[in-house]
Amino acid sequence: MATLLRLWVRTLRFEADAETVRRLSMSDTPAAIVLWHNRLFLSPEFFRRFRTRRRVYGLVSASKDGAWLAAFYRMIGIHPVRGSSSNLGREAARLLIERMREGHDIGITPDGPRGPMYVVEPGVLVVTRRLNAPMVLLGAEFTRAKRLRSWDRLYIPWPFSRVKLRCTVLEPVRADGEKISAEDVRAALVAINPDRD
């Protein structure tokens, strides 16, 4: 399975302009890497290309349903952190805060693990606010891709198609001095993830 995944990903042609590459590669401080659940497959290539200086830990539900995702994370080189994923509960936030304090990146799908699709719960902001850490938001547009009938309408790009990467960085406090909100995060993710349907 891991071999097939790597072979498939290597057929894809990833494109990113210089500013996107700069934002994706910034590693002077640990960051929360944030992407929609239906683009989760981008994680291994993203970390292989741009985030090689730090380990990344991804939140996975402690339930039985989370076991397959933990196995998938290990397969693609992400270290799973098991905890309650419902609205980023207290236990999960504590685990992710510990990992970031150790100097590692964390990965968050703000609409996972069960949706609703493209909804950002306020709990997602707990970790970055506590540590005053930036969010690196990852986006992608596909020239040719199939969308599954799952709750997140998962994207599966066709082999040898192009994937245009996009990125924006959100600091925990806006220029006007206000803390960023869940709606700020959602709006930024929607802007860099254009959907065709």
Side-chain angles (χ1 to χ4, degrees), residues 9 25 31 58 65 73 83 85 145 159 166 174-176 195:
V9 169
S25 304
D65 292 342
Y73 275 7
S85 57
R166 293 188 171 91
R174 299 194 310 238
D176 62 5
D195 285 351

Side-chain angles (χ1 to χ4, degrees), residues 43-63:
S43 300
E45 192 65 12
F46 166 66
F47 292 114
R48 185 183 74 81
R49 288 176 182 238
F50 304 109
R51 307 294 294 187
T52 57
R53 300 174 73 180
R54 298 179 187 277
R55 283 187 178 183
V56 62
Y57 288 81
L59 179 65
V60 180
S61 171
S63 68

Side-chain angles (χ1 to χ4, degrees), residues 24-124:
L24 292 173
S25 304
M26 44 180 287
S27 58
D28 53 328
T29 185
I33 314 301
V34 181
L35 71 163
W36 291 133
H37 197 273
N38 62 18
R39 287 160 167 86
L40 189 59
F41 80 91
L42 290 172
S43 300
E45 192 65 12
F46 166 66
F47 292 114
R48 185 183 74 81
R49 288 176 182 238
F50 304 109
R51 307 294 294 187
T52 57
R53 300 174 73 180
R54 298 179 187 277
R55 283 187 178 183
V56 62
Y57 288 81
L59 179 65
V60 180
S61 171
S63 68
K64 290 182 180 179
D65 292 342
W68 72 268
L69 185 56
F72 172 73
Y73 275 7
R74 291 188 190 95
M75 183 177 71
I76 63 177
I78 296 175
H79 303 271
V81 172
R82 304 300 297 272
S84 171
S85 57
S86 299
N87 296 330
L88 264 184
R90 206 175 302 168
E91 173 197 3
R94 179 182 58 79
L95 291 169
L96 293 177
I97 287 169
E98 286 177 5
R99 296 300 173 264
M100 287 196 81
R101 281 181 173 155
E102 291 167 359
H104 306 298
D105 288 339
I106 62 170
I108 298 173
T109 53
D111 57 345
R114 293 177 296 274
M117 182 172 69
Y118 301 161
V119 171
V120 176
E121 296 291 343
V124 167

